[in-house]
Amino acid sequence: MADDKPNCKVVLANNIAKNLLAEVHDGLKKIDRKPLLVGFLSSSDPAAKVYADWTGKTASENGFAFELREIDRELLEDAIIDANNDSAVDGIIVYYPIFGNRQDQYLQQIVSIDKDVEGLSHRYIFNMYQNIRFLDDANTKKSILPCTPLAVIKILEYLRIYNTILSYGNRLHGRTITVINRSEVVGRPLAALLANDGACVYSVDINDVQEFTRGEGLRKKRHEVSERPGWTIDDCLPLSDVVISGVPGDKYKVPLEKLRDGAVCINFSSERNFTPEVKEKASIYVPAIGKVTIVVLLRNLLRIVQNKIEAAAEAPEKPTEEKATQATA
């Protein structure tokens, strides 16, 4: 008798997070203290509070110190500056939205680049879009990437969508990916990162479709964006090996009738953008990514601490007062 069960593999974020946590634990063993992450909560958004609670729980369970500071939003700017100047604070995360306008973007730039675990500082964002992967000329210190887009990339690596036979930076060559949502926080950065790694990416927003690509044969150093006039999601889905959706709210659902058979489907919205029937067509389905995002946050914090330790080791030794006196005698 034939087995009528769908052949879709449902992959839970927790399983992917475990692999990344092992990497984080190995790095922590080389540090003789608990890195301190300070979270600022000035939002009444319930999702922000849930994220803050999960961050604290995961950090505490995995060898990090976490301190949540609930601050009136009008006092937040000064509070961030104080944390920037506090040598005991290793990393800072601010839970957005706060004002819900350009003031939030300003606050993102207040956080010191040396403590920005979310990768939202101008230098990090510039590097991400320009496909500059390191902070130093020797290519030893990797730039920090935004947590949710990086979490999606780590999931794709876990699922072996990245082709490790190809050279680093080109491992999505030949992949066609649709990203539904072009927010400045997740959707557009994710499309850029995937295209920089070699994929042809269709970025779908409420009004239009854009194509992110490094050109034929990946001849471009970084991605370029072109408009697809008249295109809708119905044009993108049949072409896509991977479909990644993050539309907020519970009303939006991906039109499964257009989905390519055997596509990999990933949901990064707090709501389910895919109906249960996705398992009838997809080969792999990841229903949520939150736990991976928080581990990536800790991984970013560890990288910042490692960069700080390496920078201190590389810095020339400061002369003692006696040496300084001798040098000027």
Side-chain angles (χ1 to χ4, degrees):
M1 185 174 178
D3 187 354
D4 292 331
K5 291 183 179 179
N7 289 315
C8 178
K9 175 73 172 178
V10 178
V11 178
L12 300 180
N14 191 49
N15 295 331
I16 305 169
K18 286 178 181 176
N19 279 24
L20 288 172
L21 272 176
E23 177 188 329
V24 170
H25 291 161
D26 285 344
L28 273 179
K29 291 175 184 175
K30 301 171 184 175
I31 299 174
D32 59 0
R33 61 183 178 81
K34 290 185 176 183
L36 173 60
L37 175 64
V38 170
F40 288 103
L41 183 63
S42 301
S43 169
S44 59
D45 185 348
K49 183 65 166 67
V50 170
Y51 187 27
D53 290 343
W54 267 107
T55 307
K57 183 175 185 294
T58 307
S60 299
E61 289 175 350
N62 290 283
F64 293 83
F66 179 76
E67 183 180 320
L68 182 63
R69 300 178 184 177
E70 298 191 41
I71 305 289
D72 182 278
R73 67 182 189 173
E74 299 298 340
L75 303 175
L76 180 57
E77 181 177 347
D78 287 340
I80 292 172
I81 292 171
D82 288 343
N84 285 342
N85 295 327
D86 185 348
S87 61
V89 177
D90 295 296
I92 296 171
I93 176 172
V94 182
Y95 297 100
Y96 298 99
I98 297 166
F99 293 93
N101 55 31
R102 288 178 62 85
Q103 196 164 346
D104 285 7
Q105 296 174 23
Y106 168 72
L107 289 171
Q108 290 170 4
Q109 304 311 314
I110 293 294
V111 177
S112 167
I113 188 173
D114 297 321
K115 301 187 180 187
D116 177 17
V117 296
E118 296 182 278
L120 299 177
S121 299
H122 173 75
R123 171 81 182 278
Y124 292 143
I125 295 296
F126 177 84
N127 284 2
M128 177 187 67
Y129 282 120
Q130 292 292 318
N131 200 17
I132 299 170
R133 298 174 184 243
F134 295 89
L135 295 170
D136 61 329
D137 294 336
N139 290 354
T140 60
K141 296 179 177 64
K142 279 192 173 182
S143 196
I144 301 297
L145 295 174
C147 296
T148 303
L150 182 55
V152 174
I153 286 172
K154 289 302 173 185
I155 289 168
L156 292 175
E157 288 179 349
Y158 177 89
L159 299 177
R160 300 184 180 178
I161 305 302
Y162 275 72
N163 185 348
T164 55
I165 293 175
L166 298 177
S167 61
Y168 174 72
N170 294 334
R171 290 176 174 174
L172 288 179
H173 192 194
R175 295 292 190 184
T176 301
I177 300 174
T178 289
V179 177
I180 308 167
N181 172 313
R182 200 183 304 135
S183 71
E184 293 300 318
V185 178
V186 182
R188 194 162 79 96
L190 176 59
L193 287 168
L194 297 173
N196 283 342
D197 276 340
C200 171
V201 182
Y202 295 117
S203 172
V204 179
D205 206 23
I206 191 168
N207 295 319
D208 59 9
V209 174
Q210 294 180 339
E211 182 179 359
F212 289 56
T213 177
R214 277 174 50 205
E216 187 177 350
L218 306 187
R219 290 183 174 87
K220 306 290 185 180
K221 177 179 178 293
R222 64 178 182 88
H223 76 281
E224 294 181 347
V225 180
S226 58
E227 302 289 339
R228 286 289 180 175
W231 275 44
T232 69
I233 191 171
D234 291 350
D235 299 289
C236 306
L237 292 183
L239 305 175
S240 298
D241 312 296
V242 180
V243 177
I244 305 166
S245 187
V247 179
D250 59 357
K251 294 183 179 179
Y252 179 79
K253 303 297 176 188
V254 176
L256 299 181
E257 67 277 6
K258 300 293 183 180
L259 192 67
R260 184 175 182 173
D261 279 344
V264 172
C265 296
I266 299 172
N267 177 70
F268 70 82
S269 172
S270 57
E271 303 289 345
R272 297 292 169 89
N273 285 176
F274 296 91
T275 62
E277 289 74 25
V278 68
K279 290 179 279 188
E280 301 293 335
K281 296 190 77 171
S283 60
I284 300 173
Y285 174 46
V286 182
I289 73 163
K291 291 184 178 179
V292 179
T293 301
I294 292 176
V295 175
V296 165
L297 176 74
L298 297 181
R299 187 174 177 270
N300 279 355
L301 174 58
L302 178 63
R303 176 160 286 161
I304 283 174
V305 173
Q306 290 169 332
N307 285 348
K308 185 192 300 184
I309 292 171
E310 289 171 10
E314 293 167 2
E317 183 182 353
K318 291 184 179 180
T320 62
E321 185 176 346
E322 181 180 355
K323 287 180 181 178
T325 303
Q326 291 173 351
T328 56

